[in-house]
Amino acid sequence: MTDYEPPKVWKWEQPSGGQFASINRPIAGPTHDKALPVGKHPFQLYSLATPNGQKVGIMFEELLARGHADAEYDAWPIRIGDGDQFGSGFVDINPNSKIPALVDRSGPEPVRVFESGAILLHLAEKFGEFLPASGPGRAETLSWLFWQMGSAPFLGGGFGHFFAYAPEKIEYAINRYAMEAKRQLDVLNRRLETSEYVAGPDYTIADIAIWPWYGQLALGKTYEGADVFLATHEYEHVLRWARAIAERPAVKRGRIVNRLSGDESEQLHERHDASDFDLRTEEKIKGLALDQSEAVKDDAI
């Protein structure tokens, strides 16, 4: 319990604290002028490898794996800790200042697409992949896609925030959102008990949207200790599904696009070519720089 009494009218007087306090504010719009880079490919992705960002990297890699060479893309990192999402160029393509955001330059005029679910739907319809064209399968896929879009804020902004990022541990908040996170896992587990994939027998954009949040949570790949705290081992069907998707080559590639932290072998800050996964991870870049430095030293001896 606290002694806090809400005022009649709330005012933003100081940062709320926590890991992301410096980038949260109650107003929209740009804070500075900054143009976005543009590469050579038909699609320009501006993102970060959060669960929402991973969805689009995975989608592109899955499309390329299916032979859609015209789905080539450039992926540029948006460093949200530095406020890149408030630059004028980014706000022009996403007035909500959230990653991911996409510019589709494959047609006569550039088309902006923001919100991860909208991007998945845009690409699925454009390439005719991972979404049934009509009928019950399409309805089921879209229902689960929008389930994820509506549910994940409780998992990320709710449970994740108070469990991992808030400046103090608040029992009521953690209990409230842990209960909801477990309820959502149970919803998913019951569905996957009778279905190979979320929307049915086929892998769809519903799986691509849901896995980065719930699959990785179940596998212990999101908030440290959350899999133990939430006893995700209890959701055996979620785990079966999560492990299967984690082994897909396109998922292994897509989940590290625009990743800026963690294991350096799983950090690909920018993606401009399929070879970048083999040649441009931070581990490879730093290894190459070290080799070059050693070669310079050897020449100097």
Side-chain angles (χ1 to χ4, degrees):
M1 299 294 292
T2 71
D3 296 329
Y4 175 69
E5 182 70 27
K8 186 174 182 179
V9 178
W10 183 85
K11 293 181 179 180
W12 185 41
E13 296 179 340
Q14 61 184 7
S16 60
Q19 184 171 339
F20 300 106
S22 63
I23 64 171
N24 292 326
R25 59 195 186 119
I27 55 174
T31 61
H32 58 284
D33 289 330
K34 184 177 182 180
L36 291 174
V38 178
K40 64 181 180 179
H41 294 306
F43 298 95
Q44 301 297 304
L45 174 63
Y46 304 95
S47 191
L48 189 67
T50 65
N52 281 336
Q54 288 177 348
K55 298 174 193 176
V56 184
I58 290 170
M59 181 65 171
F60 273 120
E61 293 302 321
E62 292 282 12
L63 289 168
L64 291 168
R66 289 211 173 172
H68 293 282
D70 49 349
E72 269 293 353
Y73 68 108
D74 295 284
W76 306 92
I78 297 298
R79 292 173 168 83
I80 62 175
D82 296 339
D84 287 355
Q85 69 275 33
F86 300 121
S88 57
F90 190 83
V91 174
D92 282 345
I93 62 171
N94 187 353
N96 196 38
S97 292
K98 303 289 184 182
I99 61 92
L102 177 73
V103 178
D104 178 350
R105 295 177 174 270
S106 63
E109 296 291 336
V111 176
R112 75 176 188 183
V113 192
F114 59 91
E115 290 296 327
S116 58
I119 296 172
L120 293 182
L121 184 55
H122 176 81
L123 294 173
E125 291 185 329
K126 190 176 189 75
F127 291 98
E129 297 279 9
F130 307 113
L131 174 65
S134 62
R138 180 182 178 85
E140 190 75 11
T141 301
L142 293 178
S143 292
W144 283 106
L145 173 65
F146 286 101
W147 174 83
Q148 186 279 318
M149 297 298 291
S151 297
F154 292 99
L155 184 61
F159 172 76
H161 176 78
F162 288 107
F163 181 78
Y165 302 132
E168 60 182 298
K169 303 299 183 186
I170 302 172
E171 182 180 5
Y172 173 81
I174 292 174
N175 286 343
R176 168 68 179 87
Y177 288 110
M179 181 185 299
E180 177 61 12
K182 287 185 70 68
R183 190 194 69 81
Q184 292 176 6
L185 286 166
D186 194 41
V187 169
L188 195 57
N189 196 62
R190 289 169 185 265
R191 171 58 178 167
L192 291 166
E193 184 177 8
T194 59
S195 181
E196 182 176 2
Y197 293 106
V198 173
D202 298 319
Y203 178 73
T204 68
I205 56 173
D207 301 285
I208 294 172
I210 294 169
W211 183 85
W213 281 104
Y214 297 88
Q216 292 196 116
L217 176 72
L219 296 173
K221 300 293 187 181
T222 54
Y223 315 109
E224 184 176 356
D227 56 326
V228 175
F229 183 76
L230 295 174
T232 61
H233 68 276
E234 296 175 348
Y235 307 101
E236 59 178 305
H237 307 294
V238 172
L239 283 171
R240 181 268 305 164
W241 165 84
R243 289 168 180 151
I245 291 179
E247 290 303 311
R248 294 178 69 90
V251 173
K252 291 181 178 181
R253 293 191 298 272
R255 65 177 290 272
I256 72 169
V257 171
N258 298 142
R259 187 174 179 85
L260 306 181
S261 62
D263 187 332
E264 290 184 343
S265 69
E266 294 190 343
Q267 289 186 42
L268 185 64
H269 291 194
E270 295 184 10
R271 189 273 188 209
H272 304 290
D273 187 84
S275 65
D276 290 344
F277 294 101
D278 296 321
L279 304 175
R280 302 294 297 172
T281 62
E282 281 303 285
E283 178 187 52
K284 296 289 177 57
I285 290 173
K286 289 185 176 180
L288 179 61
L290 180 60
D291 290 344
Q292 292 173 339
S293 176
E294 293 298 327
V296 170
K297 289 181 181 177
D298 290 343
D299 290 341
I301 295 176

